[in-house]
Amino acid sequence: HGAYVNLGIGQPTLVSNYLAPDSGVTLHTENGMLGMGPEARGDEVDLDLLNAGKIPVTELPGASYFHHADSFAMMRGGHLDICVLGAYQVSAAGDLANWHTGAPDAIPAVGGAMDLAIGAKDTFVMMNLLTRDGQSKLVSECTYPLTGVACVSRVYTDLAVFLIEPEGVVVRDLFGIGFDELAQLVPVPLKQA
């Protein structure tokens, strides 16, 4: 309650659809809106109101709009409590790789991810735990270009919630999988909460 939160592109944009109107959370979008509501549907769609993923959204009472430069000043100035970002990889130390796979033909698109990852007081990641070919995205060390170093404190996945703590990676919640099975999928030592 009372947090200012930025939602990144991809899965994180879904968070706005699950916040109760009285949650006390104020959503920020990189493109210059504070007070974003859930995705817009039907007659609610206003193509001038978009989130960072270019999805039409609603505005909550008291919403405000501002220049892109002001939005980045909020991000860089430590004015956001939490950012929720997608990722290609997160290391056991909380390093984040979410803007480029390093493939020569891939188009790099960092956007404001570096500013968010370092500027927000807490960086959460929301992603599928495994790649399409079954490899863990939670890794000992990132092999993709880094977005931020030691910036991720929590990772939400389809199979578990992980806390990145100084003493290691702690599994807080499991979803349809046992701890031992999860430990076989992830090449990082895991601790149970």
Side-chain angles (χ1 to χ4, degrees), residues 64-80:
S64 60
Y65 307 93
F66 33 86
H67 191 277
H68 205 115
D70 293 329
S71 182
F72 270 74
M74 288 178 195
M75 292 158 45
R76 293 174 180 161
H79 303 288
L80 296 176

Side-chain angles (χ1 to χ4, degrees), residues 93 100 104 115 119 138:
H100 197 291
D115 304 274
L138 182 57

Side-chain angles (χ1 to χ4, degrees), residues 106-131:
I107 299 171
V110 72
M114 289 179 180
D115 304 274
L116 286 164
I118 300 304
K121 294 173 185 146
D122 269 312
T123 299
F124 297 168
V125 165
M126 184 176 173
M127 65 181 186
N128 290 334
L129 180 58
L130 304 177
T131 64

